[in-house]
Amino acid sequence: MASPDSRLTDELVPGDRPPREACGVFGVWAPGEDVAKLAYYGLYALQHRGQESAGIAVSDGQRIMVHKEMGLVAQVFDEPALTALRGHIAVGHCRYSTTGASVWANAQPTFRSTPTTSLALGHNGNLINTRELAALLGGTGPGGGEIAATSDTDVLTALFVSDHVEVSGVRESGGVEEVAAAVLPLAKGAYSLVFMDEQTLYAARDPHGFRPLVLGRLNSGWVVASETAALDIVGAAFGREIAPGELVCINGRGVRSRTFAAPQPSGCLFEYVYLARPDTTISGRGVHATRVAVGKRLAAEHPADADLVIPVPESGTPAAIGYAEASGIPFGQGLVKNSYVGRTFIQPSQTIRERGIKLKLNPLRDAIAGRRLVVVDDSIVRGNTQRALVAMLREAGAAEVHVRVASPPVIWPCFYGIDFATRAELIAGRLSPAEICASIGADSLGYVSLEGLTQASGLPASRLCRACFDGQYPVPVAEDDRGKHLLDGLGTEPDRRYRGRASSASFQASSAG
C-alpha cells in the first residue's frame, strides 16, 4: 500500500505500522559463480526484513562496484543492472531504517574508499553509542566533511577503513580485519554485519547475538545471511550460526574465525513471534514449529468457547494452527489477504484510503457469519489494526470475536534493531489487557505468557532478549542515544551525482596500489 508520500508501506491500517525489522544482509564468496544474482535471490528471500531500499556490492578482486536504490529488491534490480555487477564476492542488503532517515544516502551497502582499500558494508541491527563511535573519527566524523550519510552503519564503515583510528590510545593499523577486530568491541547494541574489501568477505555478530546471522556452504564457496531461508533459496547447505562476538573472514585462503569479545547470548525473542520467516531455523529450532507451539500454549492459557479459529494472515497462521489443534476448535480461513497491495507506488484516493484495512484484508462472509470466532494475531502494537479488524468481522456477521495474541503485551520499545513505537504509543504501555479488550471491541482478549513464549522457543530466558516484554535491556541505553535521527544534521549533503533512477545509482571505486 502506498503512504501519503507514495512510499511503500505494509500497514493494514494507515498510520498503524507493524513491528519492522531493521534489515536483511547477505554475503557470498564464490569464484566462478554469478554472485550478483545469488545476492539478488538471497535478498529476495529476506525482503520481509526491509522494504525501503536495496543494494548489492560486488568485487572482482581489483575494484568494488555498488548498485543501490530506494524500493523493493525487484524494483531496484533488473537484468542489465545485475549483469554489470561482475566479480566473485558480493554483499547485499535490504533496509528498513532504525538509525538514520529513509533516504538514498543511507541505503546500503554503505561504501568507503581510501588510497589503500575500499569497503562495502551491510548492517542488520542498531547501535546505541553511534555518537561515541563517530567521535573516534576525529575530523572525518559527522560534521567533518567526510560522512554524508546519517546512519550508524556509515560510521562503522568509515571506521573500518580509517587509517587514524585510536583505540585506548593506540593507533590501529594492519588492514580491515585488524581494525575491525579492534573497533567491534567498542560498538554497543545490535549488529550482524556482512562486509567486504576487494579480496575478502567478512561477517561479524555483536557479543549478545541480538540479530541472527548464519554461514552456509556452496559447492564453490560460502554464503552468509540473516536467515537460513536465504541459504535454502540459493542452494547453500547450512553450516552453522555466526557466534556472538565472532568475526569471520572468507577469501582464497579459506575461512578464518576470531573472537573479538566474550559471548553473552541474548537472541531476540521477537524473531520467533514475527520477524523471521516461518521456514527459517534459529538456534536449531524451526520458527514455524515454535509458532505452532506458542498457539498450543495460548489455547491452554486462554481457552475460548467458539466455533472457528481463524488467523490474521500471514504471521498469525502457525499460532492459529496450534490453537486449533490444542483446543479442538476447527481451523479455517476467515480473512483473505491481498498480497499485492504493497507492491505499487500508486497513491490510493482518499475514498479508498478510508476503507483502511480492507485494502489488505477482506472477510469471507460465508465462513464467519453467525459464528463465534477465535482470531489469532502475532502481536498488538498500537491496537488500531485490531480495532478495525474486530469491527470488520462484526460487520461481516461474526457472532462473537475472541482475540488471542501469540506474544505477551509489547510494553517497552526496542533499541536493538526493531522500529517499535515509543512507549507512549504502545497500547500495552498505558492500558491493561482488560482495557485493551474494551478498546478494540473484542468479546475477550488473551495474550500468551512470557514464560509460555520462552518455553516454545526452546531457549532459556538467560539466552534471550525479552526487553520489549519485560523492560530488561541487556545493554543499557542512554537517553541521548535513543532515536533513529540522532546523526541527522551532523553530516554533509550526499553527492547528488549518485541520485536518480536505478540506472544511475551504481558507482565503482578501486583502491590505489
Side-chain angles (χ1 to χ4, degrees):
M1 184 165 76
S3 62
D5 61 3
S6 296
R7 289 181 178 173
L8 292 174
T9 173
D10 48 4
E11 300 162 4
L12 292 179
V13 172
D16 189 32
R17 67 178 185 268
R20 284 168 170 167
E21 173 58 69
C23 304
V25 294
F26 186 90
V28 55
W29 184 92
E33 296 286 347
D34 189 340
V35 293
K37 286 190 176 178
L38 288 175
Y40 173 83
Y41 286 112
L43 292 182
Y44 210 88
L46 298 171
Q47 184 73 88
H48 60 289
R49 299 186 77 90
Q51 295 110 38
E52 288 187 353
S53 62
I56 294 173
V58 171
S59 172
D60 62 3
Q62 299 296 319
R63 64 179 184 176
I64 293 175
M65 190 168 185
V66 183
H67 182 105
K68 61 181 181 179
E69 187 56 274
M70 305 300 291
L72 301 174
V73 175
Q75 294 168 329
V76 171
F77 296 98
D78 55 18
E79 191 72 32
L82 292 171
T83 301
L85 296 172
R86 296 192 175 277
H88 66 283
I89 312 174
V91 167
H93 188 272
C94 51
R95 182 175 192 256
Y96 177 74
S97 57
T98 53
T99 296
S102 177
V103 295
W104 183 89
N106 286 333
Q108 298 182 36
T110 51
F111 178 79
R112 282 289 176 270
S113 182
T114 71
T116 57
T117 193
S118 298
L119 187 119
L121 183 147
H123 172 204
N124 176 26
N126 190 57
L127 301 184
I128 62 172
N129 66 330
T130 307
R131 291 179 183 271
E132 178 184 324
L133 293 173
L136 295 175
L137 291 165
T140 61
E146 190 167 298
I147 292 188
T150 60
S151 72
D152 50 354
T153 307
D154 208 79
V155 172
L156 272 183
T157 308
L159 283 169
F160 287 174
V161 298
S162 176
D163 59 1
H164 58 266
V165 173
E166 290 191 1
V167 178
S168 301
V170 178
R171 186 174 291 251
E172 294 297 332
S173 61
V176 170
E177 179 180 345
E178 295 304 320
V179 174
V183 169
L184 286 171
L186 305 180
K188 298 177 182 178
Y191 54 90
S192 285
L193 307 175
V194 178
F195 54 106
M196 69 178 184
D197 57 24
E198 291 89 346
Q199 301 289 337
T200 303
L201 176 68
Y202 303 90
R205 196 174 178 201
D206 67 81
H208 290 274
F210 287 113
R211 300 283 144 233
L213 193 63
V214 296
L215 176 67
R217 187 74 162 98
L218 292 168
N219 290 334
S220 56
W222 299 88
V223 173
V224 181
S226 293
E227 297 186 26
T228 60
L231 303 183
D232 298 336
I233 295 300
V234 300
F238 172 75
R240 63 178 178 85
E241 295 190 354
I242 304 296
E246 181 184 17
L247 171 64
V248 172
C249 311
I250 305 170
N251 55 27
R253 291 175 290 174
V255 179
R256 303 190 314 280
S257 171
R258 60 193 294 175
T259 300
F260 63 82
Q264 307 171 58
S266 304
C268 173
L269 184 56
F270 207 81
E271 291 279 353
Y272 293 98
V273 173
Y274 176 81
L275 301 177
R277 284 176 50 143
D279 52 343
T280 280
T281 298
I282 301 176
S283 298
R285 180 158 173 79
V287 171
H288 177 82
T290 297
R291 292 174 182 169
V292 171
V294 170
K296 292 179 178 179
R297 184 64 181 250
L298 188 56
E301 294 178 356
H302 297 283
D305 189 9
D307 305 309
L308 187 68
V309 176
I310 67 170
V312 178
E314 302 290 338
S315 53
T317 301
I321 291 171
Y323 194 101
E325 289 180 358
S327 66
I329 302 171
F331 171 87
Q333 295 293 337
L335 296 165
V336 175
K337 182 177 182 180
N338 181 356
S339 301
Y340 300 97
V341 171
R343 299 297 184 263
T344 177
F345 282 98
I346 304 302
Q347 183 174 337
S349 67
Q350 184 60 30
T351 301
I352 294 297
R353 184 173 295 281
E354 289 172 354
R355 300 300 293 163
I357 197 170
K358 287 190 176 181
L359 284 174
K360 281 225 168 177
L361 294 176
N362 204 35
L364 289 170
R365 295 178 181 270
D366 292 345
I368 64 180
R371 291 189 162 186
R372 299 168 297 170
L373 304 178
V374 173
V375 182
V376 182
D377 207 348
D378 59 84
S379 59
I380 297 179
V381 180
R382 291 174 179 80
N384 295 337
T385 295
Q386 288 74 23
R387 189 176 300 112
L389 182 62
V390 170
M392 182 177 68
L393 292 171
R394 292 198 188 282
E395 180 188 341
E400 297 176 8
V401 181
H402 302 274
V403 175
R404 297 295 180 264
V405 187
S407 71
V410 178
I411 302 175
W412 301 89
C414 175
F415 303 107
Y416 308 136
I418 309 173
D419 191 32
F420 272 143
T422 62
R423 193 176 185 210
E425 294 175 300
L426 296 169
I427 192 170
R430 52 189 171 81
L431 299 180
S432 68
E435 291 170 326
I436 295 171
C437 181
S439 174
I440 66 176
D443 290 285
S444 70
L445 171 66
Y447 292 89
V448 74
S449 66
L450 182 54
E451 293 72 21
L453 176 59
T454 301
Q455 289 180 11
S457 76
L459 293 174
S462 61
R463 293 178 61 88
L464 292 166
C465 175
R466 313 188 301 176
C468 57
F469 304 124
D470 64 11
Q472 301 299 309
Y473 294 96
V475 181
V477 185
E479 191 69 31
D480 289 346
D481 289 323
R482 300 181 180 188
K484 67 190 292 183
H485 300 289
L486 60 89
L487 291 182
D488 287 1
L490 296 181
T492 59
E493 280 295 304
D495 191 333
R496 296 298 174 181
R497 291 175 300 169
Y498 300 145
R499 287 304 307 271
R501 297 181 180 274
S503 59
S504 63
S506 296
F507 55 95
Q508 63 188 43
S510 58
S511 60

